[in-house]
RNA sequence: UCCUCAGUAGCUCAAUGGUAGAGCAUUCGGCUGUUAACCGAAGGGUUGUAGGUUCGAGUCCUACCUGAGGAGCCA
């Protein structure tokens, strides 16, 4: 397999340019490895394939730093040990040129990462030209420039770390639900109507003048699938056409939404707490390197242990008023209120039983106090705001019909949803967690846009 | 939709209403252990756009465009 790849490169190189291959060796004796595995190959002859991250040079020695997506490895090319042509071409390599380097790997305390490759041979796959040098230099850049070059910015260490942590979070979320009896049942992206009727939706033309909308939640569909499977979750993209221009909003983001039959608000709180701790532990266990690149304060993440504080909306309003907030009972918590509230705790805080009037139509009212709903928001510490919203759904047919009417929602659009209350309706509950908000919090970064590869925001849909 | 701030070299930024400049990047030269290497030199400009005030505008005024932050909005 390795030889076939090698031969293909070799033939391609001869076709492309006579300068393309600068090797002076003919036998492929080097084992291709990824930089992350360097520790297992001390003293061996290896080959790494990647891109030039940075280059420092003296007169007769140069240090190309190569990244291959798994890590960064410093190489050493010494003039006296290499053919003139090879040394000169390495010395004049441009940033982000793609190349394959072969040589002997060894432990080296002076090198970042602890390992270093003594260059014996190299192949430049594509040289970045001086006329169009790589735009992202190792110096400061403004956010506009970086966002315009997002397709290249992803290669930098910090962005690589953030997206690696995102991957870890997503894997942990799925592992958690997969090992706790939940079935993944994805819900449609095209939906015929508003899930809640209030928020703004992106409309799409769907053949012959029919109008459909991009989903803003899979929850209503989850309420159908959960009656088939008992415990389900949806994981997918979500679209909100809100003209929000803040560091906490994207127009396209990813959300995980579990739903449980025969479950109540307390079950939601228990499962959410357990899942959050599971994900934080995974990130801490598997992504130390990335957290360190991001200079994340680990003690802040290590403090995320059960039990999380649980307070009611009533208590939250009183606490906020004491801290100087203008909030009145009946109003929603603003961004500033969320920060103010969470600064009292070193772990996520659960706020439940919001006024029914400010919650969506499907929330079950508290049996003893119908003016509050059995919903809960979970606010991340350090001012990261709401990461989870959820609660118990109405399971009574008559109450649901009454709510639809009160919210002026079209009965026809909700026929199937209402049907669920006719055939073995049971108390059920669930929640939704925004992946980017969770990742932003894990990484300790200050903007949601870095927690997804290609963010979609108000006024920004490129690249 | 509203408020605030910004737009000058490829990038990050300077420039009292009076000759548009520095660092990085690029090119050339020097350096055998560099850590965003360093030292020397060179090239690189329609100061977001359109008007206006002025002897003279990057700088002041008006409008517009673009971006950022925030508010509103927002399971």
């Amino acid at each position: 397999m390795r030889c076939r790849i090698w031969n293909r490169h070799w033939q391609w190189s001869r076709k492309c340019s006579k300068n393309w291959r600068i090797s002076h060796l003919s036998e492929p004796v080097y084992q291709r490895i990824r930089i992350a595995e360097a520790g297992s190959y001390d003293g061996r002859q290896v080959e790494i394939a990647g891109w030039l991250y940075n280059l420092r040079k003296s007169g007769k020695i140069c240090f190309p730093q190569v990244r291959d997506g798994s890590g960064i490895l410093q190489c050493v090319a010494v003039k006296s040990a290499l053919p003139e042509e090879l040394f000169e071409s390495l010395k004049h390599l441009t940033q982000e040129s793609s190349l394959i380097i072969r040589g002997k790997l060894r432990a080296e305390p002076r090198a970042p990462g602890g390992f270093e490759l003594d260059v014996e041979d190299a192949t430049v796959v594509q040289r970045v030209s001086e006329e169009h040098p790589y735009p992202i230099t190792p110096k400061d850049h403004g956010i506009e420039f970086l966002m315009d070059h997002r397709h290249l910015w992803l290669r930098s260490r910090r962005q690589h770390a953030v997206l690696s942590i995102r991957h870890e979070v997503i894997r942990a979320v799925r592992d958690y639900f997969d090992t706790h009896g939940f079935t993944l049942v994805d819900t449609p992206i095209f939906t015929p109507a508003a899930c809640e009727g209030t928020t703004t939706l992106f409309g799409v033309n769907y053949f012959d003048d029919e109008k459909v909308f991009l989903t803003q939640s899979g929850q209503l569909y989850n309420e159908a699938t959960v009656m088939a499977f008992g415990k389900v979750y949806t994981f997918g993209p979500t679209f909100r056409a809100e003209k929000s221009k803040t560091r906490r909003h994207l127009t396209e983001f990813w959300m995980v939404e579990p739903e449980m039959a025969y479950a109540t608000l307390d079950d939601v709180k228990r499962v959410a707490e357990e899942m959050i701790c599971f994900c934080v532990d995974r990130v801490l266990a598997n992504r130390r390197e990335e957290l360190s690149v991001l200079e994340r304060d680990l003690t802040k993440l290590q403090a995320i242990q059960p039990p999380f504080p649980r307070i009611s909306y009533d208590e939250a309003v009183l606490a906020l008023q004491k801290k100087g907030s203008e909030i009145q009972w009946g109003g929603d918590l603003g961004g500033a209120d969320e920060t103010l509230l969470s600064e009292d705790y070193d772990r996520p805080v659960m706020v439940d039983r919001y006024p029914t009037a400010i919650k969506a139509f499907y929330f079950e009212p508290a049996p003893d106090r119908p003016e509050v709903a059995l919903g809960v928001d979970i606010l991340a510490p350090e001012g990261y705001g709401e990461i989870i919203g959820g609660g118990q759904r109405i399971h009574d047919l008559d109450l649901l019909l009454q709510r639809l009417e009160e919210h002026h929602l079209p009965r026809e659009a909700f026929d199937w949803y209402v049907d669920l209350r006719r055939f073995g309706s049971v108390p059920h509950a669930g929640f939704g967690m925004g992946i980017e908000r969770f990742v932003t919090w894990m990484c300790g970064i200050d903007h949601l846009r870095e927690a997804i590869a290609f963010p979609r925001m108000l006024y920004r849909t490129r690249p």
Side-chain angles (χ1 to χ4, degrees), chain A residues 47-83:
Chain A
E47 171 185 278
I48 57 166
W51 296 262
L52 186 72
Y53 186 72
N54 198 6
L55 177 70
R56 284 184 274 272
K57 62 192 173 200
S58 273
K60 288 165 184 146
I61 186 170
C62 71
F63 301 90
Q65 291 185 327
V66 178
R67 55 163 200 91
D68 73 347
S70 79
I72 297 177
L73 182 67
Q74 174 163 291
C75 305
V76 197
V78 177
K79 185 171 182 169
S80 58
L82 293 170

Side-chain angles (χ1 to χ4, degrees), chain A residues 235-255:
Chain A
F235 191 101
T238 303
F239 306 88
R240 303 271 168 100
E242 294 152 11
K243 295 209 165 179
S244 302
K245 192 171 158 51
T246 82
R247 64 184 68 194
R248 299 185 309 278
H249 291 87
L250 297 170
T251 53
E252 176 184 324
F253 63 97
W254 286 67
M255 190 156 65

